[in-house]
Amino acid sequence: MTTGRRPQTRLGSLLAAVAITGASLLLGLPAHADEPSAGAAPASKEAPRVDLVLDVSGSMRATDIQGKSRISVAQQSLNEVIDALPAETEFGIRTLGATYPGDDKAQGCQDTRQLFPVGKTNKVEAKTAVATLRPTGWTPIGLALRGAAQDLGKGETTRRVVLITDGEDSCAPPDPCDVARELAAQGIHLVVDTLGLAHDDKTRQQLLCIANATGGTYTDVRTQEQLTDKVKQLVDRSNDTYTVTPVKTAGTDKCENAPVLAPGVYTDREKFSEHRVYKVPVKAGQELRASVSVGLDRPVARDYGVLLQATSATGQELVRGTDAGGGRTDVISTGLRWSTDDSKGYVTASPTSSKDSKEKPETTVCLIVSNSLAPQAGVQADPGLPLELTVDLASSSPAPEGAAMGLGRGWILLLTLTLAGLVFGLLFGWIARWRISVWREN
């Protein structure tokens, strides 16, 4: 198997900290809402479920990860992951290519089995099962993904499949990307994360396709430590987020008949080049924070973007997503924030409000999700692309200190700095001339 090296970009720690902080402020969602409201997702009581799918095909014998074979690196990482499993997590292991050593491809491409069932984990038994694995056969990834979905079963909790492989599917059909889209279209809260032990472009593109179709992640693994840390992170993420079950909703083409959303996480499907609208009531003193991501679950044309806008009920734009106008042509997620303090009169007053009332009326904000995506030739347009919309309402940020005097706001700050610079320059020039005249006299 040919391996390629990709240059790694180094980012300054200061810029990373600023970016992470900004993203957290923009897209952050509290662990629970202050007040329960209709339409918000109830907390799931089901335990998180994770099924790890491990490639044990013949190519896993290769010794190109820190001088070790790929299978030994995977086994050692799995041992550490199993030791660190949270007590409440239901964990299982499925293999592909682990049992059939022959040359009959038709038979070898059926080789996927449940090594350890999803449930409360007996760590000794799980580690013993992993230790018995030896690289053997073919790579039926698509069939293994279907099997993992069956292993996890159904329910309200989000379930996670973690796929570790060193190559692309050698058994299609079924194509693993099509299987991932099939699972995503069923709306069964199944996320597939992929980790690649080999670094050729074909494998990378296939694993990216699988992950993107279900809202998962792809990681290019180069060391044992990286593999261990990433799998632990994915297991922990399942444990942290399983109580938030996205609510299915259906946006409309107009604000007046759009669904009303409370703070929470929502899923919908949007057709190519479509606009979908949702409504969020925002009270005085509140700040709306919203984010959206669209999953590319099928091949799309180059140069695309996803836009999130907030408008008044009358169509006046209030704010648009952070990536709008940035020149990027690969935007699949974006977010915005807007406060009633910035309404500038573009509000929809409630029937009980009056001109003499000192309280500001409630604002009806229309969230519009649109995209400029187009399918590649021969790709079906239906069903629509899966999207996930996050809505949060928080207290408005207080005005910065000194705002009453105009400091930190536009031309007044500029004028203050200019005058300070002029005074300093004159004073420095006067002192310099005085020192020269004293020097000449002496």
Side-chain angles (χ1 to χ4, degrees), residues 96-328:
L96 59 94
T99 59
Y100 178 70
D103 297 327
D104 186 346
K105 184 176 180 180
Q107 187 173 348
C109 285
Q110 300 297 315
D111 184 9
T112 176
R113 67 186 180 96
Q114 191 178 59
L115 181 69
F116 189 82
V118 177
K120 297 301 179 182
T121 308
N122 183 312
K123 297 183 179 181
V124 174
E125 292 181 3
K127 291 167 66 175
T128 301
V130 171
T132 63
L133 297 175
R134 298 292 182 270
T136 304
W138 305 79
T139 316
I141 295 177
L143 202 63
L145 291 178
R146 282 182 179 167
Q150 295 176 357
D151 296 343
L152 292 167
K154 297 183 178 180
E156 293 301 318
T157 183
T158 297
R159 285 148 297 143
R160 190 174 295 274
V161 174
V162 180
L163 170 65
I164 302 175
T165 181
D166 70 336
E168 60 180 326
D169 190 304
S170 60
C171 294
D175 182 273
C177 287
D178 290 339
V179 172
R181 298 185 191 110
E182 166 191 309
L183 298 176
Q186 293 174 7
I188 56 176
H189 311 304
L190 183 65
V191 176
V192 181
D193 298 288
T194 57
L195 295 94
L197 301 181
H199 316 299
D200 61 284
D201 287 339
K202 290 185 68 176
T203 299
R204 183 180 299 111
Q205 291 302 317
Q206 186 173 84
L207 296 182
L208 274 169
C209 177
I210 294 169
N212 287 341
T214 61
T217 60
Y218 165 72
T219 303
D220 196 25
V221 177
R222 297 181 180 272
T223 67
Q224 180 177 310
E225 293 76 13
Q226 186 180 9
L227 178 61
T228 303
D229 292 345
K230 187 60 180 180
V231 177
K232 285 183 178 179
Q233 181 187 66
L234 294 173
V235 172
D236 290 342
R237 184 180 300 171
S238 176
N239 185 50
D240 291 340
T241 61
Y242 78 99
T243 55
V244 180
T245 303
V247 176
K248 291 183 181 179
T249 188
T252 60
D253 59 348
K254 295 180 180 179
C255 188
E256 51 262 32
N257 58 348
V260 178
L261 305 185
V265 182
Y266 300 86
T267 59
D268 198 357
R269 283 190 171 268
E270 182 174 65
K271 296 180 179 179
F272 289 100
S273 301
E274 186 183 26
H275 292 69
R276 294 185 79 76
V277 188
Y278 314 86
K279 285 192 294 192
V280 181
V282 183
K283 297 179 180 179
Q286 287 185 326
E287 180 178 78
L288 169 65
R289 302 177 184 180
S291 65
V292 66
S293 60
V294 175
L296 305 185
D297 63 350
R298 67 208 73 176
V300 299
R302 296 179 58 184
D303 299 331
Y304 52 78
V306 174
L307 177 63
L308 178 63
Q309 295 172 281
T311 73
S312 69
T314 58
Q316 174 66 49
E317 182 175 275
L318 305 175
V319 68
R320 56 175 55 196
T322 52
D323 290 299
R328 290 182 55 188

Side-chain angles (χ1 to χ4, degrees), residues 401-421:
E401 294 183 4
M405 298 177 62
L407 297 179
R409 291 191 176 183
W411 66 271
I412 295 182
L413 176 61
L414 179 62
L415 179 60
T416 302
L417 295 175
T418 302
L419 290 175

